[in-house]
């Protein structure tokens, strides 16, 4: 345990709503509400990218690439995760309770013959996030589904998954505490805000959403990163 500074910088996004759009908005269209939701989605997407950068970054005490990638039927994801579990328990004395994987990793795990064999006598006979949580011994099994455009502005869109092809195993307490180990926190200042600004020269309104936050790895010993789990 230790201490380190953090800074909750403002992240914002705006959406213009021209006067003609407002005048021509028939029910049930709500241009201001839709603009607010659009801007909020962009802000939350930016925050998710920052969190993913920390979760799948280089800040953890232990990490490894599986010797046999998990999209290979000969791989053993459960044993690999047990290795990660033992590493975390050996450093903080607590069982990791959260596992986060990228969409590509999740897809390959759904079709892994060893995992399917372990649940073939269950009621569904199909893998779900809940069953994967049980198989890997965690309370939460989370899948990163969000995508973003990596192409330059004005160029052809090129979409990628934010969470890549990695997996993370870590301990996250039910409630934050100064004396409780935690893999990481997203610190926030104030509340998310939304404002509508009139711009007469543009004959439009700017709907602007903002929030202040900082994503930080707090206890490097409380996480284990599986890098590039699938090809």
């Amino acid at each position: 345990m230790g201490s380190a500074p953090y800074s909750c910088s403002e992240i914002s996004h705006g959406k213009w709503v021209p006067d003609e759009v407002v005048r021509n908005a028939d029910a049930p269209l709500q241009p201001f509400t839709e603009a607010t939701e659009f801007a909020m989605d962009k802000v939350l997407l930016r925050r998710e990218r920052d969190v993913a950068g920390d979760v799948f970054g280089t800040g953890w005490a232990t990490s490894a690439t599986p010797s046999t990638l998990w999209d290979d039927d000969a791989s053993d994801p459960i044993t690999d995760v047990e290795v990660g579990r033992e590493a975390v328990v050996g450093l903080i004395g607590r069982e990791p309770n959260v596992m986060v994987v990228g969409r590509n990793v999740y897809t390959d795990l759904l079709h892994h013959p060893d995992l399917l064999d372990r649940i073939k006598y269950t009621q569904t006979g199909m893998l779900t996030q809940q069953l994967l949580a049980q198989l890997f011994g965690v309370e939460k099994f989370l899948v990163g589904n969000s995508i973003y455009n990596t192409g330059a502005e004005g160029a052809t869109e090129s979409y990628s998954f934010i969470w890549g092809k990695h997996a993370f195993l870590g301990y996250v307490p039910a409630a934050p505490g100064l004396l409780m180990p935690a893999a990481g926190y997203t610190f926030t200042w104030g509340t998310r805000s939304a404002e509508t600004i009139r711009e007469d020269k543009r004959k439009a309104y700017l709907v602007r959403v903002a929030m202040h936050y900082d994503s930080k790895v707090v206890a490097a010993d409380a996480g284990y990163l599986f890098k590039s789990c699938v090809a």
Side-chain angles (χ1 to χ4, degrees):
M1 302 291 288
S3 62
Y6 66 90
S7 177
C8 294
S9 302
E10 180 185 278
I11 301 297
S12 64
H13 193 88
K15 174 72 173 176
W16 288 102
V17 182
D19 289 348
E20 58 265 27
V21 171
V22 177
R23 291 194 299 266
N24 292 322
D26 298 326
L29 299 179
Q30 302 178 50
F32 291 107
T33 299
E34 292 167 356
T36 302
E37 292 174 347
F38 178 87
M40 180 69 73
D41 183 68
K42 297 303 180 184
V43 169
L44 294 177
L45 188 65
R46 168 62 185 273
R47 185 180 69 173
E48 185 172 349
R49 287 185 61 190
D50 290 341
V51 172
D54 287 331
V55 173
F56 290 163
T58 60
W60 306 108
T62 48
S63 64
T65 297
S67 56
T68 304
L69 299 185
W70 293 351
D71 52 356
D72 187 330
D73 289 352
S75 63
D76 190 350
I78 289 182
T79 297
D80 289 338
V81 170
E82 284 302 316
V83 171
R85 179 187 308 281
E86 291 299 312
V88 173
V89 173
L91 291 172
I92 68 170
R94 288 176 170 81
E95 294 278 349
N97 58 356
V98 175
M99 187 170 175
V100 185
V101 303
R103 179 70 194 189
N104 300 107
V105 178
Y106 176 59
T107 299
D108 285 315
L109 290 177
L110 287 179
H111 300 284
H112 197 285
D114 181 47
L115 301 183
L116 289 170
D117 185 66
R118 291 171 183 258
I119 58 94
K120 62 185 177 182
Y121 297 118
T122 62
Q123 185 175 2
T124 62
M126 297 175 59
L127 281 168
T128 62
Q129 286 183 237
Q130 291 74 24
L131 285 175
L132 286 170
Q134 294 177 30
L135 287 173
F136 290 117
V138 293
E139 296 173 11
K140 294 182 180 180
F141 183 93
L142 306 176
V143 181
N145 290 318
S146 296
I147 60 174
Y148 75 108
N149 181 14
T150 61
E153 185 174 356
T156 302
E157 291 89 352
S158 178
Y159 291 100
S160 298
F161 286 111
I162 288 176
W163 295 86
K165 298 180 179 180
H166 317 292
F168 170 79
L169 184 69
Y171 177 74
V172 179
L178 291 176
L179 302 179
M180 180 68 67
Y185 287 124
T186 298
F187 300 93
T188 59
W189 179 77
T191 59
R192 283 177 283 184
S193 63
E195 60 180 340
T196 302
I197 304 168
R198 175 65 184 174
E199 180 60 67
D200 288 330
K201 291 184 178 179
R202 293 191 61 156
K203 296 183 180 180
Y205 296 87
L206 175 64
V207 177
R208 180 177 179 272
V209 172
M211 65 184 301
H212 296 76
Y213 71 88
D214 191 11
S215 173
K216 299 278 287 188
V217 172
V218 175
D221 293 339
Y224 189 100
L225 175 64
F226 301 91
K227 298 174 66 66
S228 302
C229 299
V230 299

